[in-house]
Amino acid sequence: MNNLIDSLVNVSISISNGTANTSAFNNLLLVDLEKANGNVSGLNSYTTLSEVQYSGWGEDSEIYNAARIAFANGAEVLYIYTSMDKDIETALETAAKNNGWYGFTLIGDDTNLKAAADWAEDNHKLIGFTVDVSDTDLGAAANGKADSPMPIDATYYYAVAYATKLGEDNADNKYMAVAAFAKNMTYQPGSETWAYKTLSGMTPDEWDSQDAYYLAELGFNSYANCAGRNITLNGKVTAGEWTDIVRFRDWLVDDIQTRVFNVFAENAKVPYTTAGITMIENQIITSLKTGQNVGGIATTEYDDEGNKVEGYTVTMPTLSSVKEADKQARFLRGCSFTARLQGAIHLVEITGVLTT
């Protein structure tokens, strides 16, 4: 999906691997193409569960219960798209005309999952889904001796899968992806990790360390009790990248684009001079500093020899190096930056010695 802003301010960021077309990275979309409600259709936003119920979804409906889980896990604005149109690409394209959401899940029939994941990959939106692995031999699946329970190829950078063993005592676990998305998207991009989160309304599965390893190998995230605390495990997309890094990168692209575009929109003219180039540079620096302040980009550090290691560097063309053809076309090329991701600690190994 092409945006006008991409042609005016083109930003490309690689993770030495995925740009966003949205400015709202904290909101979740529920998509239901089976049971469109008689009171509403299309895309609508809600800020309370009572609003959802007032729109006609009863307590026995999947939309109501998914919304209940989303709000219980911190969602402030929840988008719901309903339609009897079975074309998931058309539905998502229609919903994406409102750029107020970033992650989405499908409610009800999951036959559209592969097409929805393809759309998410092409349009840089996170899709979350939950898979019942009750009848799966995880070890055999992880070792290639049985079919994987993963319903799509585990190669997507925008698909986030959660595994659970569904039963009567944990029926709400079917909404685990909803809970995890709502919880993690309350954090500012770059400030969070998608592991070690406690989810309201979710029942932890009795995974042991071997189960958790197999699930991660298969591309799944999971929910378990560890040392008396219920936590999410793994924190990755199916392709193996950290989910928080994918989200932060998309936020950074959007932030740089918006800031640079506003320079054009808010000034009578950005001159093709050293001063004009500096105006663009300052906006890139502001975005990188913001990303650094929230924890997405590393701060300046020093190596073992005392040499300074910058968290980021920005390189801009000098006016004298710009080709005349680019000046005539009013095109500024050669703007670049490098930044070190701050990352997060998920695992620790500690050795010690006790002496008498």
Side-chain angles (χ1 to χ4, degrees), residues 35 116 244:
K35 306 176 182 68
D244 57 274

Side-chain angles (χ1 to χ4, degrees), residues 191-225:
S191 70
E192 90 287 12
T193 171
W194 285 48
Y196 297 105
K197 297 297 181 291
T198 299
L199 306 177
S200 296
M202 297 294 103
T203 302
D205 289 286
E206 295 183 359
W207 308 120
D208 59 25
S209 59
Q210 192 66 62
D211 293 329
Y213 171 79
Y214 289 145
L215 288 169
E217 286 292 294
L218 292 165
F220 286 104
N221 300 280
S222 54
Y223 194 57
N225 182 279

Side-chain angles (χ1 to χ4, degrees), residues 24 29 44 48 57 87 92 119 129 132 136 152 164 166 186 210 220 235 251 262-263 267 300 302 318 334 345 356:
L29 169 72
N44 294 276
T48 66
W57 284 293
D87 186 341
L92 290 168
W119 185 93
F129 57 95
D132 181 6
T136 301
I152 60 175
T164 188
L166 285 179
T186 62
Q210 192 66 62
F220 286 104
W251 169 85
N262 286 340
V263 171
N267 290 275
T300 298
Y302 294 86
T318 61
I345 297 172
T356 58

Side-chain angles (χ1 to χ4, degrees), residues 135-308:
D135 299 324
T136 301
D137 183 332
L138 297 176
N143 288 299
K145 298 178 180 179
D147 291 339
S148 171
M150 180 67 72
I152 60 175
D153 292 338
T155 56
Y156 289 83
Y157 282 87
Y158 283 85
V160 189
Y162 291 85
T164 188
K165 291 184 178 181
L166 285 179
E168 292 183 2
D169 296 335
N170 68 344
D172 277 348
N173 276 25
K174 68 190 297 183
Y175 306 113
M176 189 173 290
V178 173
F181 270 45
K183 178 72 172 185
N184 287 292
M185 290 169 67
T186 62
Y187 298 96
Q188 188 167 347
S191 70
E192 90 287 12
T193 171
W194 285 48
Y196 297 105
K197 297 297 181 291
T198 299
L199 306 177
S200 296
M202 297 294 103
T203 302
D205 289 286
E206 295 183 359
W207 308 120
D208 59 25
S209 59
Q210 192 66 62
D211 293 329
Y213 171 79
Y214 289 145
L215 288 169
E217 286 292 294
L218 292 165
F220 286 104
N221 300 280
S222 54
Y223 194 57
N225 182 279
C226 181
R229 189 181 186 94
N230 301 332
I231 57 168
T232 53
L233 298 173
N234 200 20
K236 293 183 177 182
V237 298
T238 63
E241 181 59 88
W242 301 107
T243 310
D244 57 274
I245 289 179
V246 174
R247 182 170 174 248
F248 176 70
R249 175 187 55 204
D250 288 351
W251 169 85
L252 185 59
V253 168
D254 181 82
D255 195 67
I256 293 174
Q257 283 185 322
T258 301
R259 290 181 188 277
V260 174
F261 173 76
N262 286 340
V263 171
F264 298 146
E266 295 173 2
N267 290 275
K269 180 172 74 171
V270 177
Y272 214 132
T273 62
T274 298
I277 295 172
T278 301
M279 291 171 69
I280 305 300
E281 179 183 21
N282 287 341
Q283 298 310 307
I284 299 173
I285 290 172
T286 298
S287 282
L288 294 171
K289 281 185 177 178
T290 301
Q292 193 175 60
N293 289 339
V294 300
I297 294 174
T299 56
T300 298
E301 297 177 358
Y302 294 86
D303 63 22
D304 292 341
E305 297 178 353
N307 299 310
K308 192 175 185 180

Side-chain angles (χ1 to χ4, degrees), residues 34-113:
E34 289 186 310
K35 306 176 182 68
N37 187 274
N39 296 350
V40 295
S41 62
L43 184 70
N44 294 276
S45 63
Y46 303 86
T47 57
T48 66
L49 185 59
S50 60
E51 289 179 2
V52 175
Q53 190 171 29
Y54 181 77
S55 294
W57 284 293
E59 295 183 6
D60 60 343
S61 69
E62 289 208 52
I63 283 288
Y64 176 89
N65 284 293
R68 171 174 56 82
I69 293 299
F71 285 120
N73 282 278
E76 294 186 355
V77 178
L78 180 66
Y79 286 85
I80 299 176
Y81 181 87
T82 55
S83 169
M84 296 300 287
D85 183 355
K86 292 294 184 178
D87 186 341
I88 188 64
E89 292 94 341
T90 299
L92 290 168
E93 288 289 347
T94 301
K97 291 177 181 178
N98 182 312
N99 68 352
W101 57 274
Y102 175 65
F104 71 98
T105 66
L106 304 183
I107 303 301
D109 185 10
D110 63 357
T111 57
N112 286 309
L113 180 59

